[in-house]
Amino acid sequence: RALAVCIGTLALAGASQAAGDKGAYESAKASAKSTYEAAKTKCDALKDNAKDICVAEAKAARTRTEEQAEVAYKDTPKAREHAINEIAEADYKVARERCDDKTGNDKDVCVKVAKAAMTKAKANAKATRVSTDAKMDASKDKREADYKVAAEKCNAMTGDAKSACVKDAKAKYGM
């Protein structure tokens, strides 16, 4: 569930912010920092593990906001994978803090569940990036192959017709 929320949020972050907009990126990071500071201040009123959980949640929220801003700024499969990994680790730290309220086998199970969720999120992020990279490579290979076919067809022509044909093929296939 956390992974689905994370991926959905990253997709929305990419849509809400223009890729490469450094101003929006810097603004989001500054906003994340100030929100974190405010949340951390609220945690000071708490004690013991409740305070630890509160601080971990504040850090996780900051990480989530910063990583989403970075994904929107960079807009690459690698940036998305990195963001999911960072968010998964932050969520894991929150879950670990929550596990500290438990004892014995309940605590051990809680920690294993938290670790498994992080491992699944990271594995899915890697699979998604690898799949996306493979699709991009395949698309490029197909485009190059189609261009070669079109260029070969142009070889049957001469003069201006051949030049126009090659020019059209380059434009069509992005060469």
Side-chain angles (χ1 to χ4, degrees):
R1 185 178 130 201
L3 175 64
V5 169
C6 181
I7 291 172
T9 306
L10 290 175
L12 290 175
S16 67
Q17 213 172 338
D21 186 353
K22 187 157 181 119
Y25 170 67
E26 294 297 331
S27 175
K29 284 185 70 170
S31 173
K33 182 179 180 183
S34 64
T35 302
Y36 166 72
E37 294 297 331
K40 192 170 179 255
T41 301
K42 289 181 182 177
C43 296
D44 290 339
L46 301 172
K47 292 184 179 184
D48 301 324
N49 197 45
K51 182 176 182 175
D52 295 342
I53 292 170
C54 181
V55 170
E57 287 173 339
K59 286 179 182 178
R62 179 180 183 176
T63 298
R64 189 171 285 104
T65 302
E66 288 177 345
E67 292 301 326
Q68 290 168 351
E70 189 168 334
V71 165
Y73 177 60
K74 292 183 177 178
D75 195 29
T76 64
K78 188 173 182 179
R80 283 186 285 282
E81 178 187 17
H82 175 73
I84 291 170
N85 287 340
E86 292 298 314
I87 292 168
E89 286 183 26
D91 289 344
Y92 170 70
K93 289 175 184 175
V94 171
R96 281 292 306 248
E97 287 299 333
R98 287 193 176 122
C99 293
D100 285 347
D101 285 336
K102 300 179 181 195
T103 59
N105 190 48
D106 284 346
K107 182 175 181 175
D108 294 342
V109 170
C110 182
V111 170
K112 294 285 185 189
V113 168
K115 181 74 170 173
M118 180 179 68
T119 301
K120 288 177 189 177
K122 287 182 171 188
N124 286 335
K126 182 177 181 180
T128 299
R129 182 197 42 86
V130 169
S131 173
T132 301
D133 287 346
K135 287 177 184 176
M136 289 170 58
D137 289 345
S139 178
K140 180 182 173 199
D141 291 346
K142 290 176 192 177
R143 216 173 39 257
E144 287 176 357
D146 288 341
Y147 168 72
K148 287 178 182 178
V149 168
E152 188 62 36
K153 288 179 181 178
C154 294
N155 285 339
M157 301 175 187
T158 59
D160 290 340
K162 182 176 181 177
S163 296
C165 180
V166 170
K167 182 180 176 183
D168 289 344
K170 284 183 179 182
K172 182 175 181 180
Y173 298 107
M175 297 294 152

